């Protein structure tokens, strides 16, 4: 068979599903290539990670009678301003493809000495702005050992949504430690699952930085406890310890300012994220610019920050009548 693979998003990140599909078909003696516009294929797999509204299968112009769609991007639709997840026409990958060693040669530049994969799937938190729990389930479950997608590469990009929520976390963290590879935990860590034992294991993983998240005030106590526990054993500089904090979703501006201070007090660097940024209040955009720019942040308090030079007024004067 002649197989065409179509990476719909084609961003600066390899498509893991396509790498696995490629490996499977090559093992079965099929001819596999990234889709070329004028070529005809016995079957085309199109995979889309992000949920933009513009790329649909109709405007892809794929030359095959057998087009199979997959990926979260095809499964998300926006209904009444909310993202809704529905399974794609062709569903998830079958186990014999899901658990195959990926064909990294599909993206030679992006996968140079780097392995990509998931050790777990799912997340118990079901945050309203995130698709993971709806798509993968309300439990973080082990789905692979590291050896399934790593064979001695120097770098590992771990794509797990919530590794620490998995009951097999100790075993999986040990695999990462034993690999000796430099690990990029791309999706961050859930501080609420950090105990003395987990913190001691995390610091043994070779990595440049650690990211956590603090999105809801209701989780304040548990998150602060986890951050403090980790800080006791982690010697990395504050700039290498980041806590993402979502704004414009479930918190007020007072709570946002409070979180910035609290995260810093715990010895971490706050990283302000804005939900639906284009329509967010201007003060949040100012907060993000002030907080995430180390030079601005280090030079003044948020209340004294002058966000627009020509206007000349401080945050306090613009928003708080000061
Ligand atoms: S904790 Fe992270 S992965 Fe889990 S639902 Fe919330 S945002 Fe998604």
């Amino acid at each position: 068979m002649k197989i065409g693979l179509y990476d719909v998003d084609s961003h600066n990140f390899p498509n893991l599903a396509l790498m696995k599909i490629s490996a499977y078909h090559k093992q079965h003696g099929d001819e596999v290539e990234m889709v070329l516009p004028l070529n005809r294929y016995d079957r085309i797999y199109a995979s889309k990670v992000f949920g933009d509204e513009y790329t649909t299968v109709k405007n892809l112009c794929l030359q095959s009678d057998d087009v199979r769609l997959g990926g979260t991007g095809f499964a998300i639709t926006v209904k009444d301003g909310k993202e809704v997840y529905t399974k794609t026409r062709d569903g998830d990958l079958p186990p014999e493809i899901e658990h195959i060693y990926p064909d990294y040669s599909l993206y030679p530049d992006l996968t140079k000495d780097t392995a990509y994969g998931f050790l777990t799937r799912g997340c118990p938190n079901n945050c309203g702005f995130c698709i993971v729990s709806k798509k993968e389930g309300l439990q973080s479950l082990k789905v692979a050992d590291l050896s399934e997608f790593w064979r001695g590469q120097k770098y590992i990009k771990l794509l797990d949504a919530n590794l620490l929520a998995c009951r097999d976390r100790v075993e999986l963290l040990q695999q990462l430690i034993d690999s000796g590879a430099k690990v990029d935990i791309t999706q961050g860590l859930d501080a609420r699952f950090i105990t003395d034992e987990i913190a001691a294991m995390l610091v043994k993983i070779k990595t440049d930085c650690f990211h956590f998240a603090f999105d809801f005030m209701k989780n304040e106590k548990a998150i602060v406890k986890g951050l403090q526990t980790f800080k006791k054993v982690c010697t990395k500089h504050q700039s290498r310890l980041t806590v993402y904090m979502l704004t414009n979703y479930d918190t007020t501006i007072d709570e946002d300012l409070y979180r910035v201070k609290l995260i810093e007090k715990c010895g971490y660097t706050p990283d302000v994220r804005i939900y639906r940024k284009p329509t967010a209040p201007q003060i949040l955009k100012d907060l993000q610019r002030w907080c995430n720019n180390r030079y601005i942040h280090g030079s003044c308090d948020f209340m004294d920050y002058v966000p627009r030079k020509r206007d000349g007024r401080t945050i306090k004067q613009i928003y708080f009548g000061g």
Side-chain angles (χ1 to χ4, degrees):
M1 278 172 81
K2 190 169 174 181
I3 304 292
L5 304 176
Y6 192 94
D7 183 342
V8 178
D9 309 291
S10 198
H11 54 319
N12 208 18
F13 208 83
N15 185 304
L16 187 57
L18 291 184
M19 290 195 289
K20 290 180 179 182
I21 291 167
S22 172
Y24 176 83
H25 278 285
K26 282 182 180 172
Q27 264 183 22
H28 286 75
D30 296 325
E31 194 188 319
V32 183
E33 67 180 23
M34 284 298 197
V35 162
L36 294 169
L38 296 178
N39 285 4
R40 224 189 135 71
Y41 297 91
D42 297 311
R43 184 183 299 161
I44 289 178
Y45 293 91
S47 175
K48 183 171 144 188
V49 177
F50 295 106
D52 74 81
E53 300 158 34
Y54 314 106
T55 331
T56 61
V57 72
K58 283 191 198 113
N59 59 26
L60 291 179
C61 298
L62 301 174
Q63 308 257 19
S64 174
D65 297 328
D66 183 0
V67 175
R68 305 195 177 190
L69 306 179
T72 311
F74 281 121
I76 295 174
T77 45
V78 179
K79 225 178 179 184
D80 303 327
K82 275 194 171 171
E83 285 178 343
V84 181
Y85 178 80
T86 36
K87 265 193 176 261
T88 41
R89 195 180 68 197
D90 301 302
D92 299 324
L93 293 176
E96 64 276 19
I97 301 182
E98 180 62 43
H99 296 289
I100 209 166
Y101 183 75
D103 174 15
Y104 290 114
S105 72
L106 212 53
Y107 298 89
D109 295 334
L110 293 173
T111 60
K112 204 167 171 229
D113 224 353
T114 308
Y116 290 72
F118 293 87
L119 295 170
T120 63
R121 294 280 193 165
C123 176
N125 295 334
N126 200 17
C127 304
F129 54 85
C130 174
I131 207 76
V132 170
S133 305
K134 290 117 193 145
K135 178 175 169 262
E136 298 177 3
L138 282 164
Q139 255 184 308
S140 171
L141 293 175
K142 176 183 169 188
V143 292
D145 285 308
L146 186 59
S147 55
E148 193 172 295
F149 58 89
W150 175 77
R151 290 186 184 162
Q153 289 93 331
K154 247 179 159 167
Y155 306 98
I156 295 169
K157 284 211 189 272
L158 203 62
L159 310 175
D160 297 46
N162 198 337
L163 174 69
L164 297 188
C166 175
R167 64 168 169 235
D168 298 309
R169 56 190 165 261
V170 168
E171 178 201 341
L172 296 174
L173 290 174
Q174 193 59 52
Q175 291 183 14
L176 292 170
I177 295 167
D178 294 343
S179 76
K182 192 177 254 190
V183 184
D184 178 358
I185 307 166
T186 61
Q187 304 303 300
L189 294 162
D190 192 333
R192 290 172 297 167
F193 291 94
I194 293 187
T195 58
D196 290 328
E197 181 194 18
I198 296 297
M201 294 191 85
L202 280 173
V203 294
K204 287 189 195 146
I205 295 175
K206 228 197 242 176
T207 185
D208 281 336
C209 41
F210 290 98
H211 311 289
F212 300 90
F214 181 2
D215 295 328
F216 299 95
M217 290 306 295
K218 63 178 184 197
N219 298 331
E220 176 185 348
K221 251 191 178 172
I223 288 173
V224 169
K225 191 170 172 228
L227 293 178
Q228 287 171 338
T229 303
F230 186 61
K231 188 69 190 169
K232 276 194 281 176
V233 292
C234 180
T235 53
K236 282 200 190 304
H237 187 266
Q238 183 160 351
S239 60
R240 305 266 170 185
L241 299 172
T242 310
V243 180
Y244 299 128
M245 43 168 281
L246 189 67
T247 63
N248 200 31
Y249 186 74
D250 191 49
T251 50
T252 63
I253 183 70
D254 286 342
E255 288 168 339
D256 299 337
L257 294 173
Y258 172 77
R259 282 185 295 163
V260 168
K261 292 247 151 64
L262 186 56
I263 288 166
E264 287 181 321
K265 204 171 138 203
C266 291
Y268 294 76
T269 303
D271 185 328
V272 172
R273 304 285 163 124
I274 305 177
Y275 182 69
R276 302 219 166 126
K277 190 169 175 181
T279 54
Q282 184 60 41
I283 190 170
L284 291 180
K285 297 174 192 170
D286 292 341
L287 176 70
Q288 184 180 52
R289 178 137 191 273
W290 168 80
C291 184
N292 295 3
N293 183 312
R294 298 296 137 228
Y295 297 106
I296 304 176
H297 192 156
S299 68
C300 64
D301 191 75
F302 182 54
M303 288 298 153
D304 302 323
Y305 171 46
V306 178
R308 284 159 287 281
K309 286 274 174 288
R310 237 187 283 164
D311 177 275
R313 290 181 299 159
T314 62
I315 291 289
K316 198 170 175 193
Q317 289 166 331
I318 301 172
Y319 301 110
F320 300 94

